[in-house]
Amino acid sequence: MRPLIPRPVEMRRDGKTLAAPCAVVLAMDPEVRDLVPMVGALLGEVGLPLAEPRVPAATDELEETDDVDGAARIVLRLDPEAGPEGSTNPERYTVAVTDREATLAAPGPAGMMHAARTLATLAGPDAAGRPFLPGLVIVDEPRFRRRGLSVDMARHFFGVETLRRVVDLLAGYKFNVLHLHLTDDQGWRIEIPSRPELTRPEPAGPDDDAARGFLTIAEYEELQDYAAARFIEIVPEIDVPGHTNAAMAAIAELSPDGRARPVYDGIEVGFSTLTVDLPATEPFLRDVLGDVARATRGRYLHIGGDEAHSTPADDYARLVRLAERIVVENGKTPIGWQEIARAGVGPGTVIQYWDERSDADVVVRAARAGAAVIVSPSSRAYLDMKYSADYPWGQDWAGLIDVRDAFDWDPATILPGLPPESLLGVEAAIWTEKIETPEQLFEMLLPRLAAIAEVAWTAPDRMDWSRFRPRVAAQAPAWRRAGLAFHRDPQIDWDRAASGGHPGGHPGGHPGGRAAVAPPR
């Protein structure tokens, strides 16, 4: 049995167990039959093989499903009363395990999937190696309805397979958003059918596959399907009006002098900008944002807006409001980094707060006028920051972030005066200027992503570092089985986890990395 992360609202043990020596009978409400493949795969991974699922024609027949000799019975029941008493959170759920059956209850499919993941996490072998489930009751719901991770695909592109693995990792810790930073000065990483030239220029750097490539529309749609099956929403980001050198390298008309900008593979920011009054600017924004909106299944489209240091303030406000208007016209809700609050964005737009050194007052004022807020404080939630001063990759401009730093904070206190109803949730971020391989990516995510998961899900009065440390150590065997690199943060007693070597092993004492990886540029 692996300890739960994030920590649930309530868990009561009764000392009994549910043995499953042969197979699992899955009985469910007809409305959740689409979850059978995913639930079956989860249970199979932990040694609970699925017998033929039983789907009654009506909910009131659920109790009448026949048992299979020697099999445990797991029931998936839609129940509007599931979860904490009085809760209206759509992701709430209840798990109840007796010595006869396990019942998963939720008001809808998302909560049901959370319940199934919780049950699979709790499964373990008995003394004879047979699978069993501990007798208990879990009543749970997330603190915040939005729990996400932003991955920078523009500086280094890791491909669809790596993104699938990120989706799986997020789903396992009950995140529900993957935000893809798809464009920047260094590269344009998504196909734009109306502007195919955007993905043609290649960075003028080393022969590095991660510095090249892009998502085709077909790959982007497939990734969204894969994520949606795991109740994760993909949010694309097209970063404007700054961070636009890649676009200006592809489309000369976006530059005031009519010359294409040289491709760029450095890490400086703030030098590029769109020009509001150029004839090419608005058609470019309409084509790009329209194409991405049409290809996006989810509700949101991120317009960036950060670090536009070369954009005059008046032009910046006009460009942000133009991008915001185009997104709304295309049926999506705009999101932007905190700087967009200076532009006077409209009610309903979402502001992502990242830089604790500025903009707090203007973000709070925008929230009081109807904007929503996501918090991504760079000193806590930027997972590309180094764990320690001598760490071989990552950056340190926002400080060093060890596992306790990522765990020990309260999102509700980041912006004093923010109306509580304006705070949508929490999003971690990982930027890839100095992260070049999938191994480095996962090592920087783990174990800190597990800490962010608990921050985003668990109420403050149940956040306990002394209890989190052994629970995160116990995640290591699962990470090893999945082939995911991770950092053995010295604050965690990893030796208490199940035996087995960590993947790779950095020769400089940073386990989880790959020995043959060159240092970052």
Side-chain angles (χ1 to χ4, degrees), residues 183-208:
T183 70
D184 214 297
D185 292 316
Q186 296 83 352
W188 191 282
R189 307 301 184 182
I190 187 166
E191 177 187 9
I192 303 297
S194 63
R195 300 281 184 147
E197 64 271 31
L198 284 164
T199 50
R200 286 179 189 151
E202 292 287 359
D207 185 15
D208 179 359

Side-chain angles (χ1 to χ4, degrees), residues 31-154:
E31 291 86 348
V32 293
R33 68 169 67 237
D34 290 346
L35 299 183
V36 170
M38 190 69 65
V39 173
L42 282 173
L43 297 176
E45 287 172 5
V46 295
L48 297 171
L50 186 64
E52 184 69 24
R54 309 299 176 86
V55 185
T59 298
D60 56 8
E61 300 175 15
L62 194 59
E63 302 297 344
E64 301 174 11
T65 54
D66 296 332
D67 291 335
V68 173
D69 290 342
R73 186 170 184 266
I74 298 178
V75 178
L76 277 60
R77 177 182 289 110
L78 288 176
D79 181 358
E81 303 302 320
E85 185 175 356
S87 172
T88 59
N89 192 305
E91 295 181 84
R92 66 191 185 275
Y93 71 90
T94 301
V95 173
V97 181
T98 70
D99 56 358
R100 301 189 61 183
E101 69 177 22
T103 300
L104 313 182
M112 194 70 75
M113 202 67 225
H114 292 325
R117 289 191 182 280
T118 294
L119 190 75
T121 301
L122 295 171
D126 64 14
R130 297 170 302 183
F132 80 95
L133 293 165
L136 49 68
V137 174
I138 291 176
V139 180
D140 201 10
E141 67 175 349
R143 179 185 182 192
F144 294 108
R145 297 194 182 190
R146 185 185 177 93
R147 306 170 306 280
L149 171 69
S150 174
V151 176
D152 172 13
M153 301 296 291

Side-chain angles (χ1 to χ4, degrees), residues 182-371:
L182 293 167
T183 70
D184 214 297
D185 292 316
Q186 296 83 352
W188 191 282
R189 307 301 184 182
I190 187 166
E191 177 187 9
I192 303 297
S194 63
R195 300 281 184 147
E197 64 271 31
L198 284 164
T199 50
R200 286 179 189 151
E202 292 287 359
D207 185 15
D208 179 359
D209 288 342
R212 306 176 188 276
F214 61 92
L215 291 175
T216 67
I217 291 297
E219 288 172 330
Y220 178 58
E221 291 175 342
E222 183 277 333
L223 179 66
Q224 291 178 88
D225 290 341
Y226 186 85
R230 290 150 182 81
F231 295 93
I232 291 176
E233 182 176 7
I234 302 289
V235 175
E237 180 184 346
I238 305 298
D239 201 349
V240 294
H243 292 274
T244 48
N245 190 81
M248 298 167 73
I251 302 174
E253 293 80 4
L254 293 176
S255 299
D257 61 6
R259 296 181 180 181
R261 293 292 179 254
V263 294
Y264 181 73
D265 72 339
I267 65 171
E268 297 302 318
V269 299
F271 63 89
S272 61
T273 182
L274 297 178
T275 301
V276 68
D277 288 323
L278 280 183
T281 298
E282 182 169 343
F284 166 77
L285 288 173
R286 289 194 175 278
D287 287 348
V288 167
L289 296 175
D291 281 2
V292 174
R294 283 185 287 274
T296 298
R297 314 273 171 75
R299 298 162 288 175
Y300 298 97
L301 202 166
H302 203 299
I303 58 174
D306 60 315
E307 298 174 322
H309 304 319
S310 298
T311 314
D314 289 346
D315 290 0
Y316 176 83
R318 290 172 62 193
L319 285 162
V320 166
R321 289 198 294 267
L322 173 61
E324 177 190 38
R325 185 166 65 251
I326 294 169
V327 170
V328 172
E329 289 170 358
N330 279 275
K332 304 298 181 184
T333 298
I335 307 178
W337 298 105
Q338 68 190 49
E339 291 92 330
I340 70 168
R342 306 172 193 168
V345 294
T349 291
V350 181
I351 299 168
Q352 189 162 357
Y353 185 74
W354 66 277
D355 185 355
E356 300 143 278
R357 299 167 297 185
S358 63
D359 291 323
D361 291 345
V362 69
V363 171
V364 170
R365 286 198 300 271
R368 289 174 177 167

Side-chain angles (χ1 to χ4, degrees), residues 443 502-516:
E443 182 176 334
H502 54 77
H506 191 278
H510 302 283
R514 192 164 62 178

